[in-house]
Amino acid sequence: MMTPEENLARLNVELPPPPAPKGVYKPALIVDNFIYVSGHGPVQTSGTLIFGRVGEDVDMEGGKLAARQVGLTILATLKTALGSLNKIKRVVKILGMVNCTSDFGSHPYVINGCSELFADIWGTENGIGVRSAVGMGSLPENIPVEIEVIFELNQD
């Protein structure tokens, strides 16, 4: 069985830089045996964000790719906070917010971009938790997707 770090290496992806807070909050906070990750946007490896509204500027597939990029951004924050993804036992909860037109209804499909990535990292048993995928009238800076996550940590 491969570790989360080995699974990440196998995917051969480059993580973006972990984003600095753009408000008064912490990117991640450990409480008891959990790490809570604040809402993240789709930061690219260049440090720039992906912009656009799903159903208007970005199609459904582009939204799903943006959600995957948010997942990679969250991984960068986790590695900064913890040093290794191996310290995480499982995904507990994902809240995925999609900046979309009022007639767009495929929010779960878009957020699958992040959920599928986490399943690849932690496996289907530990990489899939509970989830909400909802539409928003807007998101900060007109990003297409924002995601926050709660992870359970391994007992050391």
Side-chain angles (χ1 to χ4, degrees):
M1 185 171 193
M2 295 177 74
T3 68
E5 286 289 339
E6 289 168 340
N7 287 332
L8 178 63
R10 179 182 48 81
L11 292 176
N12 196 29
V13 293
E14 182 181 351
L15 295 181
K22 293 184 179 179
V24 183
Y25 64 90
K26 297 176 185 215
L29 180 65
I30 296 172
V31 177
D32 297 325
N33 205 41
F34 298 91
I35 184 164
Y36 295 76
V37 179
S38 292
H40 277 57
V43 178
Q44 301 175 93
T45 55
S46 64
T48 61
L49 291 165
I50 297 171
F51 298 104
R53 195 166 197 209
V54 179
E56 186 175 293
D57 314 301
V58 178
D59 66 12
M60 192 167 63
E61 293 302 324
K64 184 177 181 182
L65 287 172
R68 178 179 169 83
Q69 195 61 42
V70 175
L72 293 170
T73 306
I74 290 169
L75 296 180
T77 291
L78 290 170
K79 284 179 70 71
T80 298
L82 301 172
S84 171
L85 299 179
N86 295 341
K87 293 186 177 179
I88 293 172
K89 179 178 179 179
R90 71 164 301 119
V91 175
V92 175
K93 170 133 178 64
I94 293 176
L95 170 59
M97 298 160 276
V98 182
N99 175 14
C100 59
T101 57
S102 61
D103 61 341
F104 184 80
S106 297
H107 315 91
Y109 180 83
V110 169
I111 301 304
N112 279 348
C114 179
S115 295
E116 291 168 2
L117 173 67
F118 289 172
D120 286 343
I121 298 293
W122 286 283
T124 55
E125 179 60 31
N126 290 332
I128 300 173
V130 298
R131 186 181 89 173
S132 297
V134 296
M136 300 287 172
S138 68
L139 285 173
E141 298 185 51
N142 199 37
I143 57 174
V145 180
E146 181 175 342
I147 298 172
E148 65 178 49
V149 189
I150 302 168
F151 297 90
E152 182 181 4
L153 298 169
N154 283 313
Q155 297 281 9
D156 290 338

